[in-house]
CSV table of all heavy atoms in Angstrom, one decimal:
chain,number,residue,atom,x,y,z
A,1,LEU,N,12.5,-9.1,-14.7
A,1,LEU,CA,13.8,-8.4,-15.1
A,1,LEU,C,14.8,-8.6,-14.0
A,1,LEU,O,16.0,-8.4,-14.3
A,1,LEU,CB,13.5,-6.9,-15.3
A,1,LEU,CG,12.5,-6.6,-16.4
A,1,LEU,CD1,12.4,-5.0,-16.4
A,1,LEU,CD2,12.9,-7.1,-17.7
A,2,ARG,N,14.4,-9.0,-12.8
A,2,ARG,CA,15.4,-9.2,-11.7
A,2,ARG,C,16.1,-7.9,-11.3
A,2,ARG,O,17.2,-7.9,-10.9
A,2,ARG,CB,16.4,-10.3,-12.0
A,2,ARG,CG,15.8,-11.6,-12.5
A,2,ARG,CD,15.0,-12.3,-11.4
A,2,ARG,NE,14.5,-13.6,-11.8
A,2,ARG,CZ,13.7,-14.3,-11.1
A,2,ARG,NH1,13.3,-13.9,-9.9
A,2,ARG,NH2,13.2,-15.4,-11.6
A,3,THR,N,15.4,-6.8,-11.5
A,3,THR,CA,16.0,-5.5,-11.2
A,3,THR,C,15.5,-4.9,-9.9
A,3,THR,O,15.8,-3.7,-9.6
A,3,THR,CB,15.8,-4.5,-12.4
A,3,THR,OG1,14.4,-4.4,-12.7
A,3,THR,CG2,16.6,-4.9,-13.6
A,4,SER,N,14.6,-5.6,-9.2
A,4,SER,CA,14.1,-5.2,-7.9
A,4,SER,C,14.1,-6.5,-7.1
A,4,SER,O,14.1,-7.6,-7.6
A,4,SER,CB,12.7,-4.7,-8.0
A,4,SER,OG,12.6,-3.5,-8.8
A,5,PRO,N,14.2,-6.3,-5.7
A,5,PRO,CA,14.3,-7.5,-4.9
A,5,PRO,C,13.0,-8.3,-4.8
A,5,PRO,O,12.0,-7.8,-4.3
A,5,PRO,CB,14.7,-6.9,-3.5
A,5,PRO,CG,14.2,-5.5,-3.6
A,5,PRO,CD,14.4,-5.1,-5.0
A,6,ALA,N,13.1,-9.5,-5.3
A,6,ALA,CA,11.9,-10.4,-5.3
A,6,ALA,C,11.3,-10.6,-4.0
A,6,ALA,O,10.1,-10.7,-3.8
A,6,ALA,CB,12.2,-11.7,-6.0
A,7,GLU,N,12.2,-10.7,-2.9
A,7,GLU,CA,11.7,-11.0,-1.6
A,7,GLU,C,10.9,-9.9,-1.0
A,7,GLU,O,10.0,-10.1,-0.2
A,7,GLU,CB,12.9,-11.3,-0.7
A,7,GLU,CG,13.9,-10.2,-0.4
A,7,GLU,CD,15.0,-10.1,-1.5
A,7,GLU,OE1,14.8,-10.7,-2.5
A,7,GLU,OE2,16.0,-9.4,-1.2
A,8,GLU,N,11.2,-8.6,-1.5
A,8,GLU,CA,10.3,-7.5,-1.1
A,8,GLU,C,9.0,-7.5,-1.7
A,8,GLU,O,8.0,-7.3,-1.0
A,8,GLU,CB,11.0,-6.2,-1.4
A,8,GLU,CG,12.3,-5.9,-0.7
A,8,GLU,CD,12.1,-5.7,0.8
A,8,GLU,OE1,11.1,-5.1,1.2
A,8,GLU,OE2,13.0,-6.2,1.6
A,9,MET,N,8.9,-7.9,-2.9
A,9,MET,CA,7.5,-8.0,-3.6
A,9,MET,C,6.7,-9.2,-3.0
A,9,MET,O,5.5,-9.1,-2.8
A,9,MET,CB,7.7,-8.2,-5.1
A,9,MET,CG,8.5,-7.1,-5.8
A,9,MET,SD,7.9,-5.4,-5.4
A,9,MET,CE,9.4,-4.8,-4.7
A,10,ASP,N,7.4,-10.3,-2.7
A,10,ASP,CA,6.7,-11.4,-2.1
A,10,ASP,C,6.2,-11.1,-0.7
A,10,ASP,O,5.4,-11.8,-0.1
A,10,ASP,CB,7.6,-12.6,-2.0
A,10,ASP,CG,7.6,-13.4,-3.4
A,10,ASP,OD1,6.6,-13.3,-4.1
A,10,ASP,OD2,8.5,-14.2,-3.6
A,11,ASP,N,6.8,-10.1,-0.1
A,11,ASP,CA,6.4,-9.6,1.3
A,11,ASP,C,5.2,-8.6,1.3
A,11,ASP,O,4.7,-8.3,2.3
A,11,ASP,CB,7.6,-9.0,2.0
A,11,ASP,CG,7.3,-8.9,3.5
A,11,ASP,OD1,6.9,-9.9,4.1
A,11,ASP,OD2,7.6,-7.8,4.1
A,12,HIS,N,4.8,-8.2,0.1
A,12,HIS,CA,3.7,-7.2,0.0
A,12,HIS,C,2.4,-7.9,0.4
A,12,HIS,O,2.0,-9.0,0.0
A,12,HIS,CB,3.6,-6.7,-1.4
A,12,HIS,CG,4.6,-5.6,-1.7
A,12,HIS,ND1,4.6,-4.9,-2.9
A,12,HIS,CD2,5.6,-5.2,-1.0
A,12,HIS,CE1,5.6,-4.0,-2.9
A,12,HIS,NE2,6.2,-4.2,-1.7
A,13,LYS,N,1.6,-7.2,1.3
A,13,LYS,CA,0.3,-7.7,1.7
A,13,LYS,C,-0.8,-6.9,1.1
A,13,LYS,O,-1.9,-7.4,1.1
A,13,LYS,CB,0.2,-7.5,3.3
A,13,LYS,CG,1.4,-7.9,4.1
A,13,LYS,CD,1.7,-9.4,4.0
A,13,LYS,CE,2.7,-9.9,5.0
A,13,LYS,NZ,4.1,-9.3,4.8
A,14,MET,N,-0.5,-5.7,0.5
A,14,MET,CA,-1.6,-4.9,0.0
A,14,MET,C,-1.0,-3.9,-1.0
A,14,MET,O,0.1,-3.5,-0.9
A,14,MET,CB,-2.2,-4.1,1.2
A,14,MET,CG,-3.4,-3.2,0.8
A,14,MET,SD,-4.8,-4.1,0.1
A,14,MET,CE,-6.0,-2.8,-0.1
A,15,TYR,N,-1.9,-3.5,-2.0
A,15,TYR,CA,-1.6,-2.3,-2.8
A,15,TYR,C,-2.8,-1.4,-2.6
A,15,TYR,O,-3.9,-1.7,-2.1
A,15,TYR,CB,-1.5,-2.7,-4.3
A,15,TYR,CG,-0.3,-3.5,-4.5
A,15,TYR,CD1,-0.3,-4.9,-4.3
A,15,TYR,CD2,0.9,-2.9,-5.0
A,15,TYR,CE1,0.9,-5.7,-4.6
A,15,TYR,CE2,2.1,-3.7,-5.2
A,15,TYR,CZ,2.0,-5.0,-5.0
A,15,TYR,OH,3.2,-5.8,-5.2
A,16,TYR,N,-2.6,-0.1,-3.0
A,16,TYR,CA,-3.6,0.9,-2.6
A,16,TYR,C,-4.0,1.8,-3.8
A,16,TYR,O,-3.3,2.0,-4.8
A,16,TYR,CB,-3.0,1.8,-1.5
A,16,TYR,CG,-2.8,1.1,-0.2
A,16,TYR,CD1,-1.6,0.4,0.0
A,16,TYR,CD2,-3.8,1.1,0.8
A,16,TYR,CE1,-1.4,-0.2,1.2
A,16,TYR,CE2,-3.6,0.5,2.0
A,16,TYR,CZ,-2.4,-0.2,2.2
A,16,TYR,OH,-2.2,-0.8,3.4
A,17,ASP,N,-5.1,2.4,-3.7
A,17,ASP,CA,-5.5,3.6,-4.4
A,17,ASP,C,-6.1,4.6,-3.5
A,17,ASP,O,-6.2,4.3,-2.3
A,17,ASP,CB,-6.5,3.2,-5.5
A,17,ASP,CG,-6.4,4.1,-6.7
A,17,ASP,OD1,-6.0,5.3,-6.6
A,17,ASP,OD2,-6.8,3.7,-7.9
A,18,PHE,N,-6.6,5.7,-4.0
A,18,PHE,CA,-7.1,6.8,-3.1
A,18,PHE,C,-8.3,6.2,-2.2
A,18,PHE,O,-8.4,6.5,-1.0
A,18,PHE,CB,-7.6,8.0,-3.9
A,18,PHE,CG,-6.5,8.8,-4.5
A,18,PHE,CD1,-6.4,8.8,-5.9
A,18,PHE,CD2,-5.6,9.5,-3.7
A,18,PHE,CE1,-5.3,9.5,-6.4
A,18,PHE,CE2,-4.6,10.2,-4.3
A,18,PHE,CZ,-4.5,10.3,-5.7
A,19,ARG,N,-9.1,5.4,-2.9
A,19,ARG,CA,-10.3,4.9,-2.2
A,19,ARG,C,-9.9,3.9,-1.1
A,19,ARG,O,-10.7,3.6,-0.2
A,19,ARG,CB,-11.3,4.2,-3.2
A,19,ARG,CG,-10.8,3.0,-3.8
A,19,ARG,CD,-11.8,2.4,-4.8
A,19,ARG,NE,-11.9,3.3,-5.9
A,19,ARG,CZ,-12.8,3.2,-6.9
A,19,ARG,NH1,-13.7,2.2,-6.8
A,19,ARG,NH2,-12.9,4.0,-7.9
A,20,ASP,N,-8.7,3.3,-1.1
A,20,ASP,CA,-8.3,2.4,-0.1
A,20,ASP,C,-7.5,3.2,1.0
A,20,ASP,O,-7.7,2.9,2.2
A,20,ASP,CB,-7.3,1.4,-0.7
A,20,ASP,CG,-7.8,0.6,-1.9
A,20,ASP,OD1,-8.9,0.1,-1.7
A,20,ASP,OD2,-7.2,0.6,-2.9
A,21,PHE,N,-6.7,4.1,0.6
A,21,PHE,CA,-5.7,4.8,1.4
A,21,PHE,C,-6.4,5.9,2.3
A,21,PHE,O,-6.2,5.9,3.5
A,21,PHE,CB,-4.6,5.4,0.6
A,21,PHE,CG,-3.4,5.8,1.4
A,21,PHE,CD1,-2.9,5.0,2.4
A,21,PHE,CD2,-2.7,6.9,1.0
A,21,PHE,CE1,-1.8,5.3,3.1
A,21,PHE,CE2,-1.6,7.3,1.7
A,21,PHE,CZ,-1.1,6.5,2.7
A,22,TRP,N,-7.2,6.7,1.7
A,22,TRP,CA,-7.8,7.9,2.4
A,22,TRP,C,-8.6,7.4,3.6
A,22,TRP,O,-8.5,8.0,4.7
A,22,TRP,CB,-8.6,8.7,1.4
A,22,TRP,CG,-9.0,10.0,2.0
A,22,TRP,CD1,-8.4,11.2,2.0
A,22,TRP,CD2,-10.3,10.3,2.6
A,22,TRP,NE1,-9.2,12.2,2.6
A,22,TRP,CE2,-10.4,11.6,3.0
A,22,TRP,CE3,-11.4,9.4,2.9
A,22,TRP,CZ2,-11.5,12.2,3.6
A,22,TRP,CZ3,-12.5,10.0,3.6
A,22,TRP,CH2,-12.5,11.4,3.9
A,23,PRO,N,-9.5,6.4,3.4
A,23,PRO,CA,-10.3,6.0,4.6
A,23,PRO,C,-9.4,5.5,5.8
A,23,PRO,O,-9.8,5.7,6.9
A,23,PRO,CB,-11.2,4.9,4.0
A,23,PRO,CG,-11.3,5.2,2.6
A,23,PRO,CD,-9.9,5.7,2.2
A,24,LEU,N,-8.3,4.8,5.5
A,24,LEU,CA,-7.4,4.4,6.5
A,24,LEU,C,-6.9,5.5,7.3
A,24,LEU,O,-6.8,5.5,8.6
A,24,LEU,CB,-6.3,3.5,5.9
A,24,LEU,CG,-6.5,2.1,5.6
A,24,LEU,CD1,-5.3,1.5,5.0
A,24,LEU,CD2,-7.0,1.3,6.9
A,25,LEU,N,-6.5,6.6,6.6
A,25,LEU,CA,-5.9,7.8,7.3
A,25,LEU,C,-7.0,8.4,8.2
A,25,LEU,O,-6.7,8.8,9.3
A,25,LEU,CB,-5.4,8.8,6.3
A,25,LEU,CG,-4.3,8.3,5.3
A,25,LEU,CD1,-3.9,9.3,4.3
A,25,LEU,CD2,-3.1,7.8,6.2
A,26,VAL,N,-8.2,8.4,7.8
A,26,VAL,CA,-9.3,9.0,8.6
A,26,VAL,C,-9.6,8.1,9.8
A,26,VAL,O,-9.7,8.6,10.9
A,26,VAL,CB,-10.6,9.2,7.7
A,26,VAL,CG1,-11.7,9.6,8.6
A,26,VAL,CG2,-10.3,10.3,6.7
A,27,GLN,N,-9.6,6.8,9.6
A,27,GLN,CA,-9.8,5.9,10.7
A,27,GLN,C,-8.7,6.0,11.7
A,27,GLN,O,-8.9,5.7,12.9
A,27,GLN,CB,-9.9,4.5,10.2
A,27,GLN,CG,-11.2,4.2,9.4
A,27,GLN,CD,-11.2,2.8,8.8
A,27,GLN,OE1,-11.2,1.8,9.5
A,27,GLN,NE2,-11.2,2.7,7.5
A,28,ALA,N,-7.5,6.3,11.2
A,28,ALA,CA,-6.4,6.4,12.2
A,28,ALA,C,-6.4,7.6,13.0
A,28,ALA,O,-5.7,7.8,14.0
A,28,ALA,CB,-5.1,6.4,11.4
A,29,GLY,N,-7.3,8.6,12.7
A,29,GLY,CA,-7.5,9.8,13.5
A,29,GLY,C,-7.1,11.1,12.8
A,29,GLY,O,-7.3,12.2,13.5
A,30,PHE,N,-6.7,11.0,11.6
A,30,PHE,CA,-6.4,12.3,10.9
A,30,PHE,C,-7.7,12.8,10.3
A,30,PHE,O,-8.5,12.1,9.8
A,30,PHE,CB,-5.4,12.1,9.7
A,30,PHE,CG,-4.1,11.7,10.2
A,30,PHE,CD1,-3.6,10.4,10.0
A,30,PHE,CD2,-3.2,12.6,10.7
A,30,PHE,CE1,-2.3,10.0,10.4
A,30,PHE,CE2,-1.9,12.3,11.2
A,30,PHE,CZ,-1.5,11.0,11.0
A,31,LEU,N,-7.9,14.1,10.4
A,31,LEU,CA,-9.2,14.7,9.9
A,31,LEU,C,-9.0,15.0,8.4
A,31,LEU,O,-7.9,15.2,7.9
A,31,LEU,CB,-9.4,16.0,10.7
A,31,LEU,CG,-9.7,15.9,12.2
A,31,LEU,CD1,-9.8,17.3,12.8
A,31,LEU,CD2,-10.9,15.0,12.4
């Protein structure tokens, strides 16, 4: 649609769900 910047999407390295995101927060030091 060209309604979002293509260069931003091409710069994405990862997408997330709870099972991806929550463990990262714990590993970072949040309880």
Side-chain angles (χ1 to χ4, degrees):
L1 300 180
R2 308 295 182 187
T3 52
S4 298
E7 63 273 15
E8 293 295 323
M9 301 311 121
D10 275 339
D11 193 50
H12 281 186
K13 314 297 190 294
M14 181 63 177
Y15 293 85
Y16 294 87
D17 209 334
F18 290 113
R19 69 182 64 187
D20 309 306
F21 195 41
W22 189 88
L24 277 179
L25 299 178
V26 174
Q27 290 176 63
F30 294 106
L31 298 176

